[in-house]
Structure formats: structure tokens, C-alpha cells
Amino acid sequence: MNRIRIIGGRWRSRRLEFPDLPGLRPTPDRVRETLFNWLAPALPGARCLDLFAGSGALGIEALSRGAVAVTFVEQHPPAVRALRENLARLQAEGAQVEHAEALAWLR
């Protein structure tokens, strides 16, 4: 198992586990920090979509920083399972996990 750290908000510094899957590369801390600094004014109360969710780092970071709802879409069963476990551990409200291929789900 791999680990990723939430960098801001109410779950700051919490570490989450996710499986080692080919092609699963969580968004690095620096990139998430920059992205969420830009989005900070729009994030409280927002509804977000985390397509190709993988570890769920972006969506969980959004929830941690005030988004009211995030839909996570991921096709790999081990990643879906880990994402659901992490959200349960955080007692995250407003999270919905869809086990589906992202482009098909959008259609």
C-alpha cells in the first residue's frame, strides 16, 4: 500500500492509504497546494467531480477544504475499495463513489 497526505483543511496532515496499481499516480503535494490556493475562494459550498479518482487525493482535499459534495469516479476495484475505506475513516459527508469508467459514466 502507498500513502498520501492531505495538505489542508479540516483533515490536514491525515495520511490515507491507496493500492499500488499501474498508472495510479496521485497528484503531488505541491501541485495540490497550488491548485487549491487558486480555488480557495470558490471551494466553500462547491459541488465537485473527481474523474479518474485513483487515490481520491483531489476530491478528498476539496472536501477537507469546504466542498459540500464530491462525486468520485474510478474503475479499478482495489482503488474504489481503498477510496471508500478512506472516506469512511474520515467520516466524510457529501462523498459519493461511482465504480465506473469515467468517460462512459459521463456519457
Side-chain angles (χ1 to χ4, degrees):
M1 279 296 216
N2 295 311
R3 293 186 136 183
I4 192 160
R5 180 178 61 94
I6 301 303
I7 57 173
R10 65 182 164 173
W11 298 318
R12 183 178 189 190
S13 299
R14 296 286 300 266
R15 295 194 182 275
L16 307 175
E17 293 185 347
F18 64 94
D20 187 16
L21 294 171
L24 188 109
R25 297 178 314 274
T27 307
D29 287 4
R30 296 281 288 193
V31 173
R32 281 185 286 129
E33 184 175 9
T34 300
L35 175 65
F36 285 99
N37 283 342
W38 290 337
L39 294 175
L43 207 51
R47 301 178 65 78
C48 304
L49 180 59
D50 189 351
L51 294 173
F52 308 98
S55 68
L58 290 175
I60 292 172
E61 195 76 52
L63 286 169
S64 181
R65 293 169 182 249
V68 295
V70 176
T71 299
F72 298 86
V73 182
E74 175 55 47
Q75 71 175 346
H76 294 95
V80 170
R81 205 168 21 259
L83 183 52
R84 287 182 174 144
E85 289 170 4
N86 284 327
L87 291 166
R89 195 173 302 115
L90 294 169
Q91 299 177 343
E93 294 181 14
Q96 177 181 347
V97 179
E98 297 288 336
H99 182 191
E101 195 279 322
L103 297 179
W105 185 85
L106 284 173
R107 284 191 282 281

